[in-house]
Amino acid sequence: MRGTNLKIALIVLLTVGFYTLVANVIPQVESEVPRELTLGPGVTPEELVAAGEGVYHGPGGCEVCHGLGTRAPRLLTAEGALGLIGARCGLRVGGQDCKAYLYESLVKPQAYLVAGYEPIMPDMSRQLSPAQIWAVVAFLQAQGGEVTVTTDDLGGALAPGAAAGGAPAAGAAAPLSATMDPIEIMRGLGCFACHVFRGEGGPIGPELMKIGAARNVEYLRESILKPDATIAAGFERFAGLMPKDFGQKMTAAQLDTLVHFLANQR
Amino acid sequence: MPRARALDRLVNAARHPFGKATLILVLCYLVFKYGVAYVPPLFGVRSAPVPASVLLQFMLTALAGVLIWLSEDEDRWRSFKEPIRAVLVEPDKGRIRMALLVLLPLLVGVLAYQQVKPRVVAPVGLRSIHPAPPGQITFRGRTMRIPGLENPLRAGAEGGRLRQAYERGKRVYVQNCVPCHGDLLDGFGHYAHGFNPPPLEFTSSGTIAQLTESFVFWRIAKGGLGLPPEGTPWNSAMPAWEDFLTEDEIWAVIIFLYEQTGWSPRTSEETGAAAE
Amino acid sequence: MLAALAALLLSLPDVALAQVAARDTAGAYGYFPGIGSRAAVWIVAQLHLMFAAFVLGVPIFAMVAEAIGMAGGDKRYDRLAKEFTRLLLVAYSATAIWGALLVFTLSSLYPRFWGYLTQVFSVSMWIYAALFFVESFTLYLYYYGWDIWKEGAAKLWHLGLGVLLNVVGTAVMFIADGWLTYMMTPPASVRPETAPGTVGVWTAIANATWMPINIHRTIANVVFGGSIVAAYAAYRFMAARNEEERQHYDWMGYVGNFIAISALIVLPFAGYWLGREIYAYNEQLGITMMGGFMSWLWIVQAILIGVLFLAANYYLWVGMARIPGAERFRPYTKWMLIILVGGVIVWATPHTMIATREELVAMGGSHHPFLGVFGVMSAKNTAVNLMILTTFLSFLVYRRANSRPVVSWAKTATWVQGAIFATAAAIVVFYGVYGYFVPAIVRIGFSVYQVLAVLATIVSVTVLDIFLVRGAESRGAIRWGEMPERSQYALFILAVTFTWLMGLMGFARSGIRQHWHVFEVMRDTSPWAATPALGYAAQIISVCVLIFLGLVGFVFWLTSLVEKPVPAALGVAPVARVEPRFAPGSTGE
């Protein structure tokens, strides 16, 4: 009796163990939860395109049909003489520009059906946020066309905190990320609180729009590291206001990037 | 006639269920391992060796099948077990028993060692060497459209200015690029051996000769990290030169690359035609 | 030292709890220590489902067995039915306990989601409870009335109770199916902003996948019930104390296996319908299931189903040793085996292969240039249809082995049967090969032809066979009880595999929603929103299977405590040759 029970237990354990082993040696793929997309008001077209690419290949799951299959038009390769999606999107529906057409295709996919395909596309607004949808539109426009999605389109889709504060409140204390984008660096350091640059910022320090025309690399580097070494004409009353610890807040590479970037602003 | 007797014994062994089972498994192995790889090409069908994981799966299935065949008939099952039992208990099989006792643990040991011994294996992945460039990039905060982008140093440049650009580019190349891409532009710089995949060479017809200058600009400015996923950005040591070179310097070094190798860049019109 | 360790262990969940609390300020989720809320609900739900399948599948089995016993006058079937209804009593309370646990875990760990569900389904939940009540009392009447209503019209009334039990039980399952299919395929009119109270109950229940799931689960319950009955019989066979028990449980194992495999053969078609509905509801949902992150799950499923087919056929072939006259068919089993093994190899060949860098270079990608042919649906459909045909042939041979038809047209009919088989196999292979030369949209239609050919074969050959063996002479009594122990292992493997497969398919069905509670309506914002990889899922499934089998074993043991030995009168009629039973060389003569 005990022998029988043992044999049965062994059979059961071996079978269950075998299945568990098989399921564990094959490639392990986890379905990640898509990240919420938070876009500030100063979002650049490139950021939008990058975010859209992430959505396209990730939570949007677009490529499963629009990739190499025959279920839906291919978006990232040319379709005959019409070219890539960014080039052909404006030609699909008369009177509808590229942006409007792409947006409608995402949220009302059955409104216009490309000839030769079944109406199988789901309404993407059910699973993507408005910001994600606009990011996908921007990404698709970038495929052979001009990105025309702007912050106006995003409207309510912007992250509330970012929309109110402009520059992230991180400003002073929080450590700066390792970004090499000079705009990001400046935003992270809070430069636009005092300096005007492309319509952003305040009039406490010199404008930076054409700073490279008047100042060279050495001057700019010194001004950032030792703000009080030379005070620009007309700003004497604000002398001493600029923080003196920017040298500790960014890496040498970031400083170098920033200095060269500013020197190129002519 | 010892030879005839030996042959008889061999035939008997092959007719015995144990022999048959062994033969079937060996045959299956040969078919899966070599048959799949080498027989279809004889008929003009492309094939390749079967990956080890699939081979294991096939052999396990075959083994299950053979065990079912052996044990679904009582007589066959019993005579299959006979030699095993004989080796395990019969007094006159002592030598074979001892040999098995040594060989089997040894085999297991070798297999285990093969499994756990440290190996340097690159992660699996497919790499597209010239992936599609993005529509636009941000170069030092400025948005640039890549398709159709022309080299400003070429536009309306008479011989003298092109010569100057070439000289500037040459200096940039020698100062920054030679350690990896080599002084002959052949991808054999001093440090080239330390990289896998190796640094790109520019002299053959397969690299910059196939690319537009805008593509080359994108690759230099954004470096390996700027590659899209299909280009495996984690698998390239190329720095993003936008942090170190100005726009003018990059365009100049591009002039140098093409002038030095003698290739002329692919033009945007051609790319457009190719896309059609 | 120990205290410190205990304190450390205790503090771990606290840390996790603090993190969860920080992320979840709305109080939408509770926290289960150690394994987390998702795994807790998962295990409880899976165990509830397994017991529920057991208490739904076994009554169908019992009812059919009782009816056969009434129609044929074979007392064995009646005894079989009653034996299983007794198991049901305990299993039924286990189901209820796990169900209550599920409600408690759901409402305490997923309060916001549970609140949403109750708002949508409140009415149906009351009906569910009422039906559950009716079901319980019908079951009591059915079991305790067995020996009172056993003659004439009373027996008919008793069978009616059995039918009622099954109808109510199925209705209960249909209601619960409505809840879970709503999570997967909510009606298109329901949007994230829709207030749950305004969703019509009937609209919510009658969603796209409700009926396919109902049908699929009903058939699967029969398979499950049959396989558990067979495993029970195998256990009792191995532990038999005398010859009568041995004969009885051998026979019971055969009946259980027969019912399980008969239902299994039609199960893929129901699954196919369910898959189509999922695709029709949302293409992306279907692709996530078949081609997305779950694509490897189907290779595991193929391996499991391969094991099912091999084990079921093996059991039949070994069993042929106890049937006089079966020797005629011995030489053919190896060909059937070759088809089955070939089918398993083709069916489990992965499309995207696991390969090292060198192997990938040799293949020129992760698709094998030659074996890739086996990786696509055409090959797999062909393989599985041929395997179904072969299994059916095994059954047919088993059934025919013992009889010598007396009708004059017997030879012709056998030839016709063979011709039908050959035609079906030819159709299956033809469309399988032709599928490579047509576009995907045409190819999908081909699988319907293959399925129809196989179904038509099963129906027509069975009908022909019924008339053929009517009044046939026997070639000698089946020597029940004369079965080697290893054949019983096959029955255990079948039961374990079915149970595990149920867990795996449950993961597939529930997992394709990914990070949604209700697909595209209600987001899962808990820390466990990511859908786990197959390896983790397999571990949870294995834990559930082991707990379930342990509890079922306990139930079996409980009922055996009060059991009297089988009276000889109810056992199988004594057979001519019983001894020596399993002395070597006694079989296959």
Side-chain angles (χ1 to χ4, degrees), chain A residues 1 4-5 7-8 11-13 15-20 22-34 36 58-62 64-65 70-71 118 120-128, chain C residues 187-188 190-191 235 238-239 279 282-284 287 293 296 300 303-304 307 354 485 489 492-493 496-497 500 514-516 519-521 523 529-536 538-539 542 545-546 549:
Chain A
M1 194 66 192
T4 309
N5 286 344
K7 273 187 220 160
I8 294 169
I11 286 283
V12 170
L13 284 177
T15 316
V16 168
F18 172 66
Y19 297 149
T20 316
V22 170
N24 274 281
V25 293
I26 61 176
Q28 299 295 303
V29 191
E30 191 171 296
S31 161
E32 297 282 345
V33 182
E36 286 297 335
C62 312
V64 287
C65 292
T70 48
R71 290 191 175 89
E118 301 283 317
I120 55 168
M121 170 140 166
D123 169 5
M124 298 312 287
S125 69
R126 289 175 72 105
Q127 57 172 326
L128 298 180
Chain C
V190 182
R191 311 228 13 145
Y235 171 67
M238 287 166 74
Y279 264 97
N282 186 317
E283 188 84 359
Q284 201 201 353
I287 289 170
F293 86 105
W296 269 94
V300 179
I303 292 172
L304 274 120
V307 171
I354 309 172
E485 223 172 52
Y489 296 153
F492 282 113
I493 292 176
V496 174
T497 307
W500 211 89
Q514 295 176 293
H515 51 277
W516 298 91
F519 188 67
E520 293 187 344
V521 173
R523 271 290 286 265
T531 314
L534 197 51
Y536 176 80
Q539 289 163 24
S542 294
V545 169
L546 291 178
L549 292 177

Side-chain angles (χ1 to χ4, degrees), chain C residues 442-523:
Chain C
V442 184
R443 184 163 62 235
I444 292 168
F446 283 178
S447 58
V448 177
Y449 302 143
Q450 294 181 318
V451 163
L452 284 180
V454 172
L455 276 183
T457 306
I458 293 176
V459 171
S460 60
V461 170
T462 308
V463 169
L464 206 57
D465 214 54
I466 288 173
F467 289 106
L468 190 61
V469 299
R470 176 161 286 178
E473 292 170 10
S474 168
R475 289 175 188 266
I478 299 179
R479 299 186 291 272
W480 290 113
E482 200 167 291
M483 234 358 209
E485 223 172 52
R486 57 177 190 277
S487 64
Q488 306 299 309
Y489 296 153
L491 293 183
F492 282 113
I493 292 176
L494 277 174
V496 174
T497 307
F498 273 130
T499 318
W500 211 89
L501 190 57
M502 215 158 83
L504 184 73
M505 292 296 100
F507 168 63
R509 186 197 55 69
S510 187
I512 51 171
R513 281 177 298 159
Q514 295 176 293
H515 51 277
W516 298 91
H517 287 315
V518 180
F519 188 67
E520 293 187 344
V521 173
M522 188 178 191
R523 271 290 286 265

